Amino acid sequence: MSNRADEISEKVISNYQKDEGMMIIIYAQWCVNNGLDPKEVYLKAYPEQTNNEYVMHMLEQTVPLEEAEHISNETLLQVLSLFGNEDLAFVVSKEIDVKLEAKND
């Protein structure tokens, strides 16, 4: 019985990691689409994560702006919230505010 529980647990963890990876890619692509450096913005929220190889690798999985799909601010904030990534959502919100202020000047 515990073998089956271990299999289920591993599958849940694997699926979560895939979904988390997708969340990071959505975030990173939003940054590229908005002229921001994904690593720089990410490290504002999580300065202790510089050695997280998985995250740093996922942040590099973007495409050039001209090949990218549009990602709205609201979509990104919803995805970050879904994963409880409130610190990053806060930093992203500040970046959105800066862009909006620059646009209105």
Side-chain angles (χ1 to χ4, degrees):
M1 176 85 167
S2 94
N3 212 4
R4 178 81 176 126
D6 288 345
E7 285 177 31
I8 292 170
S9 180
E10 285 177 26
K11 188 170 182 115
V12 168
I13 291 168
S14 174
N15 286 340
Y16 179 82
Q17 287 174 329
K18 285 180 197 165
D19 291 345
E20 183 184 43
M22 185 55 65
M23 179 262 306
I24 295 168
I25 291 171
I26 290 169
Y27 154 76
Q29 192 62 57
W30 176 88
C31 286
V32 169
N33 293 358
N34 286 280
L36 300 168
D37 178 335
K39 288 182 183 177
E40 185 181 305
V41 176
Y42 186 85
L43 292 173
K44 286 180 186 177
Y46 303 110
E48 72 286 353
Q49 293 274 326
T50 54
N51 295 326
N52 187 327
E53 290 180 26
Y54 175 72
V55 169
M56 293 301 131
H57 172 73
M58 295 310 288
L59 290 176
E60 295 170 358
Q61 305 304 307
T62 59
V63 297
L65 176 59
E66 47 285 346
E67 296 175 25
E69 293 289 325
H70 173 73
I71 300 167
S72 73
N73 298 340
E74 296 76 24
T75 298
L76 175 61
L77 292 172
Q78 287 173 346
V79 168
L80 293 175
S81 179
L82 184 67
F83 278 85
N85 222 325
E86 303 307 325
D87 292 340
L88 188 55
F90 179 75
V91 172
V92 165
S93 292
K94 288 173 81 173
E95 295 290 346
I96 291 168
D97 290 344
V98 167
K99 284 191 118 3
L100 289 175
E101 285 176 22
K103 198 177 197 178
N104 292 332
D105 281 350

XYZ file of all heavy atoms in Angstrom:
846
model
N 0.827 -1.205 0.000
C 0.000 0.000 0.000
C 0.866 1.261 0.000
O 0.594 2.183 -0.728
C -0.944 -0.039 1.215
C -1.790 1.186 1.382
S -3.264 1.043 0.374
C -4.203 2.358 1.048
N 1.913 1.273 0.795
C 2.735 2.477 0.864
C 3.463 2.718 -0.454
O 3.769 3.848 -0.797
C 3.711 2.415 2.034
O 4.959 1.924 1.640
N 3.736 1.657 -1.212
C 4.363 1.803 -2.516
C 3.459 2.610 -3.455
O 3.911 3.481 -4.178
C 4.668 0.426 -3.107
C 5.914 0.438 -3.970
O 6.587 1.444 -4.069
N 6.186 -0.680 -4.593
N 2.173 2.303 -3.437
C 1.180 3.015 -4.251
C 1.094 4.478 -3.811
O 1.035 5.377 -4.638
C -0.195 2.328 -4.124
C -1.296 3.006 -4.876
C -1.260 2.628 -6.345
N -2.394 3.236 -7.018
C -2.279 3.998 -8.082
N -1.117 4.190 -8.638
N -3.339 4.530 -8.634
N 1.114 4.711 -2.509
C 1.065 6.075 -1.982
C 2.299 6.848 -2.428
O 2.212 8.038 -2.761
C 0.959 6.065 -0.459
N 3.458 6.190 -2.449
C 4.682 6.835 -2.906
C 4.573 7.226 -4.382
O 5.003 8.312 -4.775
C 5.896 5.922 -2.708
C 6.289 5.765 -1.243
O 5.814 6.570 -0.416
O 7.060 4.840 -0.949
N 3.997 6.335 -5.195
C 3.819 6.619 -6.619
C 2.918 7.833 -6.827
O 3.222 8.702 -7.645
C 3.201 5.417 -7.336
C 4.147 4.273 -7.559
C 3.449 3.084 -8.210
O 2.495 3.301 -8.994
O 3.858 1.951 -7.927
N 1.824 7.865 -6.088
C 0.879 8.981 -6.206
C 1.556 10.273 -5.767
O 1.449 11.302 -6.431
C -0.405 8.705 -5.380
C -1.184 7.559 -6.031
C -1.268 9.957 -5.267
C -2.337 7.033 -5.205
N 2.279 10.209 -4.676
C 2.986 11.379 -4.168
C 3.990 11.900 -5.188
O 4.074 13.109 -5.442
C 3.685 11.024 -2.857
O 4.364 12.134 -2.350
N 4.753 10.998 -5.797
C 5.728 11.397 -6.813
C 5.043 12.040 -8.015
O 5.544 13.012 -8.572
C 6.553 10.189 -7.264
C 7.598 9.764 -6.255
C 8.358 8.523 -6.699
O 8.446 8.281 -7.922
O 8.859 7.809 -5.815
N 3.905 11.509 -8.414
C 3.171 12.050 -9.556
C 2.653 13.459 -9.244
O 2.742 14.363 -10.078
C 2.018 11.124 -9.937
C 1.347 11.517 -11.222
C 0.393 10.448 -11.694
C -0.210 10.857 -13.008
N 0.158 10.016 -14.109
N 2.128 13.651 -8.040
C 1.639 14.972 -7.627
C 2.783 15.983 -7.637
O 2.653 17.092 -8.167
C 0.967 14.896 -6.235
C 0.730 16.282 -5.659
C -0.340 14.127 -6.316
N 3.920 15.595 -7.082
C 5.085 16.485 -7.043
C 5.550 16.807 -8.460
O 5.832 17.966 -8.793
C 6.224 15.870 -6.200
C 5.812 15.860 -4.724
C 7.526 16.620 -6.393
C 6.714 15.031 -3.832
N 5.612 15.813 -9.320
C 6.043 16.007 -10.700
C 5.105 16.967 -11.429
O 5.558 17.877 -12.135
C 6.090 14.655 -11.419
O 6.364 14.840 -12.779
N 3.796 16.765 -11.272
C 2.823 17.647 -11.923
C 2.934 19.068 -11.404
O 2.850 20.027 -12.171
C 1.400 17.124 -11.733
C 1.120 15.918 -12.608
O 1.805 15.677 -13.593
N 0.120 15.154 -12.237
N 3.139 19.223 -10.097
C 3.280 20.550 -9.511
C 4.513 21.243 -10.086
O 4.467 22.416 -10.443
C 3.375 20.478 -7.987
C 3.538 21.836 -7.357
C 2.433 22.654 -7.137
C 4.792 22.330 -7.026
C 2.574 23.920 -6.598
C 4.942 23.598 -6.483
C 3.836 24.384 -6.264
O 3.984 25.636 -5.732
N 5.630 20.498 -10.204
C 6.858 21.090 -10.738
C 6.667 21.527 -12.187
O 7.150 22.587 -12.588
C 8.025 20.115 -10.608
C 8.505 19.980 -9.180
C 9.561 18.903 -9.011
O 9.572 17.909 -9.724
N 10.439 19.110 -8.047
N 5.944 20.725 -12.981
C 5.671 21.108 -14.370
C 4.841 22.391 -14.405
O 5.118 23.293 -15.189
C 4.917 19.995 -15.103
C 5.779 18.821 -15.479
C 4.951 17.780 -16.207
C 5.660 16.447 -16.215
N 4.774 15.354 -16.580
N 3.799 22.443 -13.554
C 2.944 23.627 -13.505
C 3.725 24.842 -13.009
O 3.563 25.942 -13.518
C 1.730 23.388 -12.603
C 0.745 22.387 -13.204
O 0.846 22.095 -14.411
O -0.104 21.893 -12.460
N 4.581 24.621 -12.003
C 5.404 25.712 -11.489
C 6.348 26.212 -12.591
O 6.539 27.417 -12.755
C 6.207 25.252 -10.274
C 7.029 26.369 -9.658
C 7.891 25.881 -8.508
O 8.506 24.809 -8.622
O 7.931 26.599 -7.498
N 6.908 25.289 -13.353
C 7.773 25.666 -14.471
C 7.026 26.508 -15.484
O 7.557 27.506 -15.990
N 5.778 26.146 -15.776
C 4.952 26.912 -16.713
C 4.681 28.306 -16.152
O 4.742 29.301 -16.882
C 3.635 26.181 -16.997
C 2.795 26.857 -18.053
S 3.634 27.136 -19.634
C 3.903 25.480 -20.186
N 4.434 28.395 -14.850
C 4.213 29.693 -14.210
C 5.450 30.570 -14.365
O 5.347 31.752 -14.698
C 3.882 29.491 -12.724
C 3.661 30.768 -11.936
S 5.087 31.367 -10.983
C 5.536 29.978 -9.989
N 6.635 29.996 -14.165
C 7.877 30.762 -14.287
C 8.075 31.228 -15.729
O 8.471 32.367 -15.977
C 9.090 29.936 -13.792
C 8.948 29.658 -12.295
C 10.395 30.662 -14.090
C 9.921 28.615 -11.758
N 7.769 30.355 -16.694
C 7.915 30.732 -18.107
C 6.934 31.856 -18.469
O 7.300 32.803 -19.167
C 7.729 29.507 -19.028
C 8.915 28.549 -18.855
C 7.573 29.931 -20.481
C 8.753 27.216 -19.551
N 5.706 31.771 -17.987
C 4.718 32.834 -18.249
C 5.232 34.160 -17.684
O 5.204 35.188 -18.355
C 3.340 32.475 -17.660
C 2.719 31.318 -18.455
C 2.406 33.688 -17.630
C 1.498 30.699 -17.813
N 5.732 34.096 -16.457
C 6.286 35.295 -15.824
C 7.469 35.853 -16.645
O 7.519 37.047 -16.955
C 6.738 34.988 -14.383
C 7.820 35.901 -13.918
C 7.530 37.209 -13.549
C 9.160 35.490 -13.935
C 8.544 38.072 -13.195
C 10.166 36.354 -13.575
C 9.853 37.647 -13.204
O 10.864 38.498 -12.860
N 8.412 34.973 -16.988
C 9.610 35.405 -17.710
C 9.249 35.991 -19.076
O 9.805 37.012 -19.493
C 10.591 34.238 -17.863
N 8.290 35.364 -19.772
C 7.892 35.866 -21.085
C 7.197 37.210 -20.944
O 7.387 38.106 -21.769
C 6.992 34.858 -21.808
C 6.780 35.198 -23.262
C 8.089 35.176 -24.044
O 8.785 34.173 -24.079
N 8.435 36.294 -24.678
N 6.388 37.382 -19.909
C 5.747 38.677 -19.668
C 6.828 39.748 -19.506
O 6.711 40.838 -20.050
C 4.858 38.603 -18.422
C 4.241 39.920 -18.077
C 3.059 40.427 -18.533
C 4.798 40.932 -17.215
N 2.838 41.680 -18.009
C 3.900 42.010 -17.192
C 5.961 41.011 -16.462
C 4.129 43.168 -16.447
C 6.198 42.160 -15.719
C 5.287 43.226 -15.718
N 7.891 39.422 -18.755
C 8.995 40.375 -18.574
C 9.609 40.748 -19.915
O 9.778 41.939 -20.217
C 10.075 39.789 -17.654
S 9.633 39.743 -15.910
N 9.946 39.745 -20.728
C 10.540 39.998 -22.047
C 9.590 40.866 -22.883
O 10.017 41.846 -23.496
C 10.858 38.668 -22.772
C 11.210 38.901 -24.240
C 11.993 37.937 -22.056
N 8.308 40.533 -22.865
C 7.317 41.275 -23.639
C 7.236 42.742 -23.200
O 6.835 43.599 -23.974
C 5.928 40.638 -23.507
C 5.841 39.277 -24.149
O 6.795 38.780 -24.737
N 4.684 38.644 -24.018
N 7.598 42.997 -21.934
C 7.502 44.347 -21.384
C 8.863 45.018 -21.202
O 8.993 46.005 -20.480
C 6.740 44.310 -20.057
C 5.260 44.097 -20.278
O 4.538 45.020 -20.599
N 4.812 42.857 -20.155
N 9.888 44.463 -21.854
C 11.204 45.083 -21.832
C 11.923 44.992 -20.494
O 12.763 45.830 -20.185
N 11.592 43.984 -19.699
C 12.213 43.805 -18.389
C 13.087 42.557 -18.376
O 12.827 41.610 -19.116
C 11.130 43.675 -17.302
C 10.183 44.872 -17.157
C 8.997 44.499 -16.283
C 10.923 46.067 -16.587
N 14.086 42.547 -17.517
C 14.956 41.386 -17.344
C 14.312 40.463 -16.307
O 14.201 40.838 -15.132
C 16.331 41.850 -16.870
C 17.295 40.695 -16.626
O 16.849 39.565 -16.357
O 18.510 40.941 -16.676
N 13.877 39.257 -16.708
C 13.183 38.360 -15.778
C 13.982 38.039 -14.513
O 13.422 38.006 -13.421
C 12.934 37.088 -16.592
C 13.088 37.480 -18.013
C 13.992 38.673 -18.045
N 15.281 37.816 -14.669
C 16.101 37.483 -13.498
C 16.193 38.664 -12.541
O 16.073 38.501 -11.333
C 17.502 37.037 -13.920
C 17.529 35.671 -14.552
C 18.943 35.252 -14.900
C 18.938 33.905 -15.598
N 20.263 33.484 -16.013
N 16.394 39.846 -13.093
C 16.524 41.048 -12.260
C 15.251 41.286 -11.448
O 15.309 41.537 -10.242
C 16.816 42.250 -13.163
C 17.101 43.532 -12.430
C 17.365 44.669 -13.409
O 18.261 44.519 -14.272
O 16.674 45.695 -13.302
N 14.109 41.198 -12.089
C 12.836 41.422 -11.398
C 12.595 40.303 -10.372
O 12.194 40.567 -9.236
C 11.667 41.520 -12.404
C 10.333 41.654 -11.688
C 11.883 42.695 -13.358
N 12.876 39.066 -10.759
C 12.679 37.923 -9.856
C 13.521 38.075 -8.592
O 13.055 37.827 -7.481
C 13.033 36.620 -10.574
C 12.729 35.383 -9.770
C 11.458 34.817 -9.792
C 13.703 34.786 -8.969
C 11.164 33.683 -9.044
C 13.416 33.656 -8.221
C 12.146 33.112 -8.260
O 11.850 32.006 -7.520
N 14.765 38.516 -8.769
C 15.667 38.640 -7.622
C 15.308 39.810 -6.714
O 15.706 39.827 -5.549
C 17.123 38.708 -8.087
C 17.626 37.390 -8.708
C 19.018 37.576 -9.302
C 17.615 36.248 -7.701
N 14.508 40.746 -7.212
C 13.982 41.798 -6.332
C 13.026 41.178 -5.310
O 12.984 41.591 -4.157
C 13.232 42.872 -7.129
C 14.113 43.805 -7.908
C 13.251 44.821 -8.650
C 14.080 45.691 -9.567
N 13.245 46.627 -10.340
N 12.270 40.186 -5.745
C 11.314 39.514 -4.861
C 11.993 38.447 -4.012
O 11.638 38.248 -2.849
C 10.181 38.886 -5.677
N 12.950 37.748 -4.603
C 13.597 36.609 -3.932
C 15.116 36.705 -4.063
O 15.728 35.916 -4.783
C 13.107 35.291 -4.531
C 11.610 35.125 -4.460
C 10.833 35.178 -5.604
C 10.978 34.932 -3.239
C 9.456 35.026 -5.536
C 9.605 34.792 -3.160
C 8.849 34.847 -4.316
O 7.488 34.705 -4.239
N 15.758 37.656 -3.365
C 17.207 37.834 -3.516
C 18.022 36.607 -3.111
O 19.134 36.412 -3.594
C 17.520 39.035 -2.615
C 16.324 39.239 -1.772
C 15.162 38.606 -2.457
N 17.456 35.748 -2.289
C 18.178 34.548 -1.832
C 18.143 33.414 -2.851
O 18.763 32.374 -2.645
C 17.607 34.072 -0.486
C 16.226 33.438 -0.549
C 15.042 34.377 -0.774
O 15.214 35.607 -0.759
O 13.930 33.862 -0.978
N 17.471 33.603 -3.973
C 17.290 32.531 -4.962
C 18.347 32.521 -6.072
O 18.188 31.812 -7.057
C 15.908 32.657 -5.606
C 14.757 32.391 -4.681
C 14.416 30.928 -4.585
O 14.537 30.191 -5.552
N 13.996 30.490 -3.416
N 19.424 33.264 -5.930
C 20.416 33.350 -7.014
C 21.001 31.997 -7.384
O 21.416 31.792 -8.511
C 21.576 34.306 -6.654
O 22.128 33.889 -5.414
C 21.124 35.743 -6.596
N 21.035 31.064 -6.455
C 21.625 29.749 -6.727
C 20.597 28.674 -7.059
O 20.930 27.497 -7.108
C 22.485 29.298 -5.535
C 23.680 30.204 -5.337
O 24.236 30.728 -6.295
N 24.066 30.413 -4.098
N 19.333 29.065 -7.268
C 18.293 28.102 -7.611
C 18.400 27.818 -9.117
O 17.857 28.540 -9.942
C 16.918 28.647 -7.245
C 15.827 27.630 -7.433
O 15.875 26.792 -8.322
N 14.814 27.700 -6.578
N 19.126 26.742 -9.446
C 19.400 26.431 -10.860
C 18.130 26.188 -11.662
O 18.038 26.579 -12.824
C 20.324 25.221 -10.957
C 21.735 25.524 -10.490
C 22.663 24.320 -10.592
O 22.407 23.445 -11.441
O 23.632 24.293 -9.823
N 17.139 25.533 -11.059
C 15.880 25.241 -11.765
C 15.203 26.549 -12.186
O 14.848 26.730 -13.349
C 14.954 24.407 -10.881
C 13.599 24.166 -11.504
C 13.457 23.300 -12.580
C 12.464 24.814 -11.030
C 12.220 23.078 -13.170
C 11.233 24.598 -11.606
C 11.111 23.741 -12.670
O 9.889 23.534 -13.247
N 15.053 27.457 -11.226
C 14.391 28.727 -11.531
C 15.199 29.518 -12.560
O 14.646 30.032 -13.530
C 14.165 29.560 -10.248
C 13.729 30.980 -10.585
C 13.131 28.885 -9.360
N 16.504 29.597 -12.364
C 17.334 30.359 -13.295
C 17.249 29.766 -14.711
O 17.176 30.498 -15.689
C 18.790 30.417 -12.816
C 18.984 31.207 -11.534
S 18.433 32.923 -11.677
C 17.424 33.086 -10.218
N 17.196 28.442 -14.805
C 17.044 27.782 -16.112
C 15.684 28.124 -16.722
O 15.591 28.458 -17.911
C 17.194 26.261 -15.956
C 16.866 25.510 -17.200
N 17.689 25.497 -18.312
C 15.787 24.754 -17.524
C 17.117 24.763 -19.267
N 15.977 24.308 -18.811
N 14.634 28.053 -15.928
C 13.285 28.333 -16.440
C 13.164 29.791 -16.892
O 12.452 30.086 -17.848
C 12.223 28.009 -15.389
C 12.132 26.534 -15.030
S 12.001 25.402 -16.435
C 10.336 25.718 -16.968
N 13.876 30.696 -16.223
C 13.809 32.106 -16.596
C 14.424 32.360 -17.973
O 14.169 33.385 -18.592
C 14.510 32.976 -15.546
C 13.809 33.086 -14.198
C 14.659 33.882 -13.221
C 12.421 33.707 -14.324
N 15.211 31.411 -18.457
C 15.855 31.561 -19.764
C 15.030 30.951 -20.900
O 15.431 31.006 -22.050
C 17.247 30.912 -19.715
C 18.181 31.612 -18.754
C 19.467 30.851 -18.501
O 19.648 29.738 -19.043
O 20.290 31.377 -17.742
N 13.876 30.382 -20.606
C 13.071 29.670 -21.607
C 12.061 30.592 -22.290
O 10.892 30.253 -22.433
C 12.341 28.485 -20.951
C 13.234 27.512 -20.221
C 14.329 26.956 -21.106
O 14.066 26.438 -22.180
N 15.565 27.074 -20.658
N 12.515 31.745 -22.721
C 11.616 32.698 -23.375
C 11.905 32.749 -24.867
O 12.916 32.246 -25.335
C 11.811 34.109 -22.771
O 13.166 34.509 -22.945
C 11.440 34.126 -21.290
N 11.001 33.374 -25.583
C 11.198 33.608 -27.016
C 11.291 35.114 -27.241
O 10.831 35.898 -26.401
C 10.055 32.997 -27.871
C 10.008 31.484 -27.719
C 8.715 33.610 -27.539
N 11.874 35.542 -28.360
C 11.949 36.978 -28.645
C 10.543 37.594 -28.710
O 9.565 36.909 -29.058
C 12.632 37.043 -30.011
C 13.338 35.734 -30.167
C 12.535 34.739 -29.393
N 10.469 38.858 -28.396
C 9.192 39.578 -28.350
C 8.363 39.362 -29.611
O 7.162 39.112 -29.536
C 9.446 41.075 -28.122
C 8.226 41.983 -28.142
C 7.219 41.578 -27.072
C 8.645 43.431 -27.948
N 9.016 39.401 -30.773
C 8.250 39.280 -32.026
C 7.641 37.888 -32.225
O 6.719 37.728 -33.017
C 9.059 39.726 -33.238
C 10.466 39.217 -33.393
C 11.520 39.844 -32.471
O 11.276 40.879 -31.832
O 12.602 39.264 -32.384
N 8.122 36.885 -31.502
C 7.567 35.527 -31.602
C 6.598 35.210 -30.462
O 5.972 34.154 -30.456
C 8.707 34.495 -31.559
C 9.653 34.573 -32.724
C 10.818 33.608 -32.569
O 10.679 32.592 -31.864
O 11.883 33.888 -33.152
N 6.475 36.108 -29.505
C 5.727 35.823 -28.281
C 4.237 36.109 -28.407
O 3.820 36.978 -29.166
C 6.299 36.656 -27.138
N 3.485 35.369 -27.632
C 2.063 35.657 -27.457
C 1.934 36.771 -26.428
O 2.750 36.885 -25.512
C 1.332 34.415 -26.927
C 1.267 33.258 -27.900
C 0.335 33.516 -29.055
O -0.704 34.183 -28.861
O 0.645 33.061 -30.165
N 0.889 37.579 -26.539
C 0.632 38.620 -25.546
C 0.217 37.962 -24.227
O -0.565 37.010 -24.219
C -0.474 39.564 -26.025
C -0.893 40.540 -24.983
N -0.118 41.606 -24.618
C -1.996 40.580 -24.199
C -0.725 42.278 -23.650
N -1.862 41.680 -23.388
N 0.760 38.455 -23.139
C 0.367 38.005 -21.801
C -0.075 39.257 -21.058
O 0.730 40.172 -20.837
C 1.539 37.327 -21.060
C 2.022 36.109 -21.848
C 1.125 36.943 -19.636
C 3.352 35.545 -21.379
N -1.346 39.308 -20.691
C -1.846 40.509 -20.019
C -1.317 40.576 -18.589
O -0.965 39.557 -17.979
C -3.382 40.520 -20.008
O -3.870 39.559 -19.083
N -1.286 41.785 -18.054
C -0.876 41.986 -16.667
C -1.759 41.166 -15.725
O -1.272 40.526 -14.791
C -0.973 43.470 -16.289
C -0.066 44.347 -17.120
O 0.898 43.882 -17.728
N -0.375 45.632 -17.183
N -3.063 41.188 -15.996
C -4.021 40.485 -15.139
C -3.776 38.969 -15.148
O -3.833 38.322 -14.111
C -5.462 40.775 -15.575
C -5.883 42.217 -15.436
C -5.317 43.139 -16.530
O -4.982 42.663 -17.644
O -5.179 44.342 -16.243
N -3.491 38.427 -16.328
C -3.228 36.985 -16.433
C -2.008 36.613 -15.604
O -2.037 35.648 -14.830
C -3.016 36.570 -17.904
O -4.217 36.834 -18.634
C -2.649 35.101 -18.028
N -0.947 37.377 -15.762
C 0.266 37.085 -15.001
C 0.000 37.152 -13.503
O 0.387 36.245 -12.756
C 1.398 38.045 -15.372
C 2.660 37.868 -14.522
C 3.248 36.465 -14.691
C 3.675 38.928 -14.827
N -0.673 38.199 -13.049
C -0.933 38.343 -11.612
C -1.811 37.206 -11.091
O -1.602 36.716 -9.982
C -1.549 39.711 -11.321
C -0.597 40.894 -11.543
C -1.343 42.217 -11.433
C 0.581 40.844 -10.581
N -2.765 36.746 -11.893
C -3.611 35.620 -11.495
C -2.795 34.335 -11.372
O -2.965 33.570 -10.422
C -4.764 35.415 -12.481
C -5.826 36.468 -12.379
C -6.875 36.344 -13.476
O -6.688 35.635 -14.460
N -7.980 37.052 -13.315
N -1.899 34.088 -12.327
C -1.067 32.885 -12.300
C -0.147 32.917 -11.077
O -0.009 31.916 -10.366
C -0.254 32.743 -13.613
C 0.820 31.687 -13.487
C -1.176 32.427 -14.778
N 0.467 34.059 -10.808
C 1.348 34.167 -9.645
C 0.564 33.947 -8.350
O 1.028 33.259 -7.438
C 2.044 35.540 -9.625
C 3.035 35.787 -10.753
C 3.556 37.217 -10.686
C 4.177 34.777 -10.740
N -0.629 34.503 -8.294
C -1.475 34.341 -7.112
C -1.886 32.890 -6.918
O -1.906 32.377 -5.794
C -2.707 35.235 -7.238
O -3.533 35.074 -6.128
N -2.192 32.213 -8.005
C -2.592 30.810 -7.953
C -1.520 29.955 -7.275
O -1.828 29.016 -6.554
C -2.841 30.309 -9.382
C -3.367 28.899 -9.563
C -4.785 28.797 -9.001
C -3.363 28.530 -11.033
N -0.264 30.318 -7.489
C 0.842 29.568 -6.890
C 1.313 30.171 -5.568
O 2.335 29.771 -5.033
C 2.016 29.481 -7.875
C 1.842 28.400 -8.878
C 1.124 28.616 -10.039
C 2.354 27.132 -8.653
C 0.928 27.594 -10.963
C 2.173 26.115 -9.568
C 1.459 26.352 -10.717
N 0.568 31.160 -5.050
C 0.938 31.762 -3.780
C 2.235 32.558 -3.869
O 2.942 32.709 -2.877
N 2.521 33.063 -5.043
C 3.763 33.783 -5.292
C 3.545 35.283 -5.052
O 3.773 36.109 -5.931
C 4.200 33.520 -6.738
C 5.662 33.278 -6.869
O 6.444 33.878 -6.158
N 6.022 32.414 -7.790
N 3.102 35.603 -3.829
C 2.690 36.972 -3.517
C 3.840 37.973 -3.584
O 3.644 39.112 -4.002
C 2.022 37.016 -2.136
C 0.816 36.098 -1.988
C -0.245 36.280 -3.064
O -0.459 37.417 -3.518
O -0.882 35.278 -3.432
N 5.043 37.573 -3.175
C 6.184 38.500 -3.210
C 6.498 38.912 -4.641
O 6.727 40.095 -4.918
C 7.424 37.869 -2.563
C 7.267 37.676 -1.070
O 6.400 38.335 -0.458
O 8.017 36.856 -0.499
N 6.499 37.943 -5.545
C 6.767 38.262 -6.948
C 5.615 39.081 -7.538
O 5.849 40.022 -8.294
C 7.012 36.990 -7.757
C 7.492 37.183 -9.192
C 8.755 38.035 -9.261
C 7.738 35.830 -9.855
N 4.389 38.745 -7.180
C 3.233 39.506 -7.665
C 3.327 40.964 -7.217
O 3.006 41.883 -7.983
C 1.932 38.880 -7.164
N 3.798 41.194 -6.000
C 3.960 42.551 -5.490
C 4.994 43.324 -6.315
O 4.753 44.466 -6.723
C 4.372 42.508 -4.008
C 4.595 43.863 -3.409
C 3.514 44.675 -3.085
C 5.874 44.329 -3.171
C 3.713 45.940 -2.533
C 6.087 45.591 -2.626
C 4.997 46.395 -2.302
N 6.142 42.691 -6.582
C 7.192 43.333 -7.379
C 6.691 43.596 -8.797
O 6.917 44.675 -9.358
C 8.486 42.482 -7.381
C 9.506 43.031 -8.360
C 9.082 42.415 -5.981
N 5.993 42.629 -9.389
C 5.439 42.797 -10.739
C 4.438 43.960 -10.753
O 4.450 44.781 -11.673
C 4.786 41.480 -11.225
C 3.889 41.722 -12.436
C 5.856 40.451 -11.557
N 3.598 44.056 -9.734
C 2.628 45.156 -9.651
C 3.333 46.509 -9.638
O 2.880 47.462 -10.285
C 1.763 45.027 -8.389
O 0.923 43.918 -8.490
N 4.444 46.579 -8.910
C 5.220 47.826 -8.879
C 5.788 48.142 -10.260
O 5.782 49.301 -10.694
C 6.337 47.728 -7.830
C 5.805 47.786 -6.409
C 6.877 47.523 -5.381
C 7.692 48.753 -5.120
N 8.638 48.581 -3.998
N 6.265 47.101 -10.981
C 6.786 47.309 -12.337
C 5.669 47.783 -13.277
O 5.899 48.647 -14.130
C 7.417 46.019 -12.877
C 8.651 45.552 -12.132
C 9.876 46.446 -12.336
O 9.890 47.288 -13.255
O 10.826 46.285 -11.554
N 4.484 47.234 -13.121
C 3.330 47.654 -13.937
C 3.017 49.122 -13.664
O 2.805 49.905 -14.592
C 2.105 46.755 -13.654
C 2.351 45.337 -14.183
C 0.842 47.351 -14.273
C 1.335 44.304 -13.716
N 3.022 49.518 -12.381
C 2.749 50.902 -12.019
C 3.777 51.841 -12.642
O 3.418 52.912 -13.144
C 2.743 51.074 -10.485
C 1.540 50.413 -9.817
O 0.563 50.082 -10.537
O 1.591 50.221 -8.598
N 5.059 51.453 -12.605
C 6.124 52.282 -13.188
C 5.885 52.456 -14.689
O 6.015 53.561 -15.221
C 7.517 51.655 -12.914
C 8.593 52.311 -13.757
C 7.861 51.742 -11.436
N 5.534 51.370 -15.370
C 5.284 51.436 -16.815
C 4.071 52.339 -17.118
O 4.090 53.117 -18.065
C 5.055 50.040 -17.397
C 6.336 49.242 -17.554
C 6.084 48.008 -18.351
C 6.796 47.861 -19.623
N 7.743 48.766 -20.144
N 3.017 52.218 -16.303
C 1.824 53.037 -16.517
C 2.128 54.526 -16.276
O 1.665 55.383 -17.023
C 0.679 52.578 -15.608
C 0.054 51.228 -15.968
C -0.979 50.816 -14.919
C -0.577 51.270 -17.353
N 2.910 54.811 -15.247
C 3.292 56.207 -14.961
C 4.120 56.773 -16.114
O 3.913 57.907 -16.531
C 4.082 56.287 -13.652
C 3.221 56.126 -12.423
C 4.043 56.101 -11.136
O 5.182 56.610 -11.131
O 3.525 55.574 -10.134
N 5.052 55.982 -16.624
C 5.902 56.427 -17.743
C 5.056 56.688 -18.982
O 5.313 57.639 -19.738
C 6.986 55.390 -18.033
N 4.044 55.857 -19.185
C 3.171 55.979 -20.339
C 2.337 57.271 -20.246
O 2.057 57.915 -21.252
C 2.235 54.768 -20.399
C 1.577 54.522 -21.714
C 0.753 53.252 -21.632
C 0.417 52.728 -22.994
N -0.343 51.490 -22.919
N 1.948 57.630 -19.030
C 1.083 58.801 -18.813
C 1.862 60.113 -18.743
O 1.256 61.173 -18.719
C 0.248 58.608 -17.540
C -0.754 57.510 -17.690
O -1.227 57.222 -18.791
N -1.126 56.873 -16.590
N 3.175 60.055 -18.696
C 3.979 61.286 -18.607
C 4.160 61.950 -19.951
O 4.013 61.476 -20.983
C 5.359 60.995 -17.999
C 5.249 60.866 -16.477
O 4.186 61.184 -15.929
O 6.241 60.408 -15.885
